[in-house]
Amino acid sequence: MSEQKTTGRLYGVGLGPGDPSLMTLRAVECIAAADVVAYHSARHGRSIARSIAERHLRPDHIEERLVYPVTVETTDHPGGYRGAMEEFYEEAAARLAAHLDAGRSVAVLAEGDPLFYSSYMHMHKRLADRYPTEVVPGVTSVSAAAAALGTPLVEGEEVLTILPGTLPEEELTARLASTDSAVVMKLGRTFPTVRGALERSGRLADARYVERATMAGQRTERLAEVDPESVPYFSVAVLPSRVDAVPAAEKRGEVVVVGLGPAGPLWLTPEARGELAAAQDLVGYSTYIDRVPVRPGQRRHPSDNKVESERAEFALDLARQGRRVAVVSSGDPGVFAMATAVLEVASQDPYREVPVRVLPGMTAAHAAASRAGAPLGHDYAVISLSDRLKPWEVIAERLRAAAAADLVLALYNPGSRSRVWQVGKARELLLEHRTPDTPVVLGRDVGGPEESVRIVRLGDLDPAEVDMRTILLVGSSQTRAVRRGAGNGEEVVWTPRRYPEA
């Protein structure tokens, strides 16, 4: 009977952010139990990980220095930087596997936590399925930076986003704008890009800088004041908790009109999410304000849906007092919504000097169209059937003109408890130019809990099935409704981009 071979044990040992006293007891125990201690280093041979654990190394430890072939410089490797690194990790894993196969236990040292932006994970992915393995977590630089600043990182229901500074500036900007708190890792040569993203996202004034947290030479200051030439790799940018935060500088009051999209957080843009979080005051129709999460310290001013001018004036008055105000609007604020009302009042004295910005949102028409297929694939017109702000004669004239031009129609505000006849009248007008078989998409509460998207024929359109939460997409002469899939299949609607005569 053959004797089963006993292999060594692999330890991924988290050492914490730099201060040796922040190593865990288990990390010290694993180093003591290991025959081999491995650590990564640049070609100069110095290893921060080794320096952290140095007091726990013994003369009889076998040390394996895993020297990176490249760091930030160029390489002539045929596979480029990625190819050079992959080859290095394979060779390093093979060196450690030789020790493990010989029955020697191996402790791979890792700054911070072994599975958090650490080189250890490349060894783990190549070895953990072949050998007994234990990963010892460590204090990350994120926690160390927050402790160094002495300020809360996240509180309550705030969201923390951790980002590598190597992301493109556009991506960093979007993510920084949409989150509550953030830590950006891997600064050094990426610092100018990170600083630019913080500025573009409107977060620079609140950003803090932490260098070598818990190590000798630890430095903290406002990020806007940091010299880019002085920034090492071992530094992070921090956006602390917004709860109870004292503004870094007095900001001029402004009004931002924010489009919430048709329903729910999945339809909200990163820019809109960020402005809602940064606002000191929320103003809007109560139903829409209820869709925005409650934040400590943020004031909410709900109102009825029929006081748009008064709501706009109220928001502008708050901004004149130096408040940062978000006026919330469903869908896109420029499509039958609050942007026009705010700008109309803002164009009058005494509000001409108040800054006003408009942030777009997903429209109800586009949301409903996406659920049905591509009915808006060619030219289309958007018309509101509400005669509360314009006479029906104007609506009817526009319906006839758009129908005669063979445009697909997106019909907003089709009906309500007090408006029950407009849909029927619109159907009659459209049938003067469209066949009864013209596809019509009825999208109700798209994106919400009561979402319903149906496709009917224009001749069969029942006004009783339409309410204020419904949008109608009426096809042109070229719009097609096709069933796809097995059996009866799913019906999809699309409008070709090319006309037969083209």
Side-chain angles (χ1 to χ4, degrees):
M1 181 176 178
S2 61
E3 189 173 312
Q4 187 174 4
K5 183 178 178 182
T6 302
T7 67
R9 188 175 185 83
L10 174 67
Y11 297 101
V13 182
L15 303 177
D19 183 346
S21 65
L22 291 177
M23 290 175 59
T24 65
L25 177 60
R26 184 57 186 156
V28 173
E29 291 172 346
C30 289
I31 293 172
D35 304 298
V36 180
V37 175
Y39 45 84
H40 293 81
S41 77
R43 284 183 292 181
H44 53 55
R46 296 186 298 275
S47 168
I48 292 178
R50 188 190 187 285
S51 68
I52 297 171
E54 186 173 15
R55 70 176 68 170
H56 304 291
L57 301 183
R58 304 187 307 269
D60 64 321
H61 269 136
I62 301 170
E63 295 191 28
E64 283 285 1
R65 180 181 285 114
L66 310 176
V67 181
Y68 295 114
V70 290
T71 48
V72 298
E73 67 273 18
T74 58
T75 176
D76 58 2
H77 190 283
Y81 177 85
R82 184 177 294 275
M85 293 303 293
E86 284 298 313
E87 185 176 288
F88 161 68
Y89 290 133
E90 289 294 336
E91 293 174 351
R95 286 168 58 187
L96 300 186
H99 288 295
L100 293 164
D101 287 337
R104 292 186 283 269
S105 292
V106 178
V108 182
L109 307 182
E111 301 102 302
D113 183 273
L115 297 178
F116 182 78
Y117 289 124
S118 167
S119 292
Y120 164 76
M121 66 183 66
H122 298 286
M123 301 298 98
H124 187 85
K125 289 186 287 187
R126 289 167 172 82
L127 299 172
D129 62 338
R130 296 158 51 193
Y131 304 98
T133 301
E134 178 182 347
V135 178
V136 181
V139 177
T140 69
S141 57
V142 173
S143 297
L149 291 172
T151 219
L153 191 57
V154 278
E155 185 175 333
E157 295 181 348
E158 286 186 308
V159 173
L160 171 65
T161 300
I162 299 174
L163 302 163
T166 49
L167 288 174
E169 186 171 328
E170 286 283 341
E171 183 68 20
L172 282 170
T173 300
R175 291 179 180 268
L176 290 169
S178 66
T179 193
D180 299 309
S181 303
V183 175
V184 186
M185 317 279 294
K186 306 180 182 182
L187 295 188
R189 62 192 174 90
T190 71
F191 183 81
T193 297
V194 174
R195 190 188 191 284
L198 285 162
E199 188 165 21
R200 292 178 61 187
S201 63
R203 310 293 300 273
L204 181 59
D206 301 319
R208 303 293 298 275
Y209 171 82
V210 182
E211 178 181 313
R212 294 187 172 91
T214 78
M215 302 182 193
Q218 172 181 296
R219 174 166 69 121
T220 65
E221 59 182 293
R222 294 204 175 277
L223 190 136
E225 300 169 1
V226 173
D227 177 6
E229 298 298 322
S230 70
V231 177
Y233 181 81
F234 282 93
S235 56
V236 296
V238 180
L239 286 174
S241 168
R242 281 172 155 155
V243 178
D244 300 325
V246 177
E250 287 299 320
K251 297 175 182 175
R252 185 183 181 191
E254 69 170 342
V255 172
V256 183
V257 191
V258 179
L260 300 178
L266 288 177
W267 303 84
L268 194 63
T269 68
E271 186 179 24
R273 190 186 301 275
E275 289 296 341
L276 291 174
Q280 296 170 293
D281 295 82
L282 295 183
V283 175
Y285 176 36
S286 56
T287 299
Y288 302 151
I289 281 189
D290 289 343
R291 285 168 47 186
V292 181
V294 174
R295 292 179 177 276
Q298 192 177 67
R299 303 193 308 206
R300 302 161 76 91
H301 309 276
S303 58
D304 184 80
N305 198 28
K306 297 179 181 179
V307 290
E308 292 181 350
S309 295
E310 294 90 333
R311 189 185 306 147
E313 187 172 336
F314 178 75
L316 290 161
D317 278 329
L318 287 173
R320 290 179 66 205
Q321 300 168 27
R323 307 286 292 180
R324 189 169 179 174
V325 185
V327 176
V328 297
S329 180
S330 181
D332 183 282
V335 180
F336 305 124
M338 279 301 299
T340 298
V342 171
L343 289 170
E344 183 176 3
V345 177
S347 298
Q348 305 169 14
D349 292 330
Y351 305 113
R352 293 179 186 271
E353 302 302 318
V354 176
V356 175
R357 290 187 290 129
V358 179
L359 300 189
M362 170 71 73
T363 70
H366 294 157
S370 71
R371 295 292 203 242
L376 305 181
H378 208 315
D379 302 335
Y380 67 95
V382 179
I383 297 175
S384 171
L385 295 188
S386 172
D387 58 353
R388 189 169 68 86
L389 299 175
K390 63 179 183 289
W392 175 256
E393 291 73 19
V394 172
I395 299 173
E397 183 180 353
R398 292 175 179 177
L399 284 171
R400 289 191 183 97
D406 201 23
L407 296 172
V408 175
L409 288 166
L411 302 181
Y412 278 68
N413 307 317
S416 67
R417 284 190 295 270
S418 61
R419 294 189 297 105
V420 296
W421 56 269
Q422 283 88 342
V423 172
K425 188 61 179 177
R427 181 190 59 195
E428 294 176 15
L429 294 173
L430 294 174
L431 283 171
E432 296 174 8
H433 300 273
R434 306 280 162 88
T435 68
D437 289 335
T438 301
V440 179
V441 177
L442 284 76
R444 186 180 188 279
D445 192 33
V446 176
E450 299 179 16
E451 176 177 312
S452 170
V453 178
R454 298 188 301 114
I455 300 166
V456 302
R457 276 36 186 177
L458 181 58
D460 299 328
L461 177 60
D462 184 357
E465 298 177 346
V466 178
D467 62 12
M468 195 64 179
R469 300 174 67 186
T470 305
I471 187 168
L472 304 179
L473 306 179
V474 183
S476 70
S477 66
Q478 301 301 306
T479 303
R480 303 288 180 259
V482 179
R483 290 201 174 273
R484 301 179 64 255
N488 202 27
E490 178 187 19
E491 192 171 26
V492 296
V493 178
W494 53 282
T495 302
R497 296 179 61 196
R498 180 185 298 272
Y499 257 62
E501 296 82 1

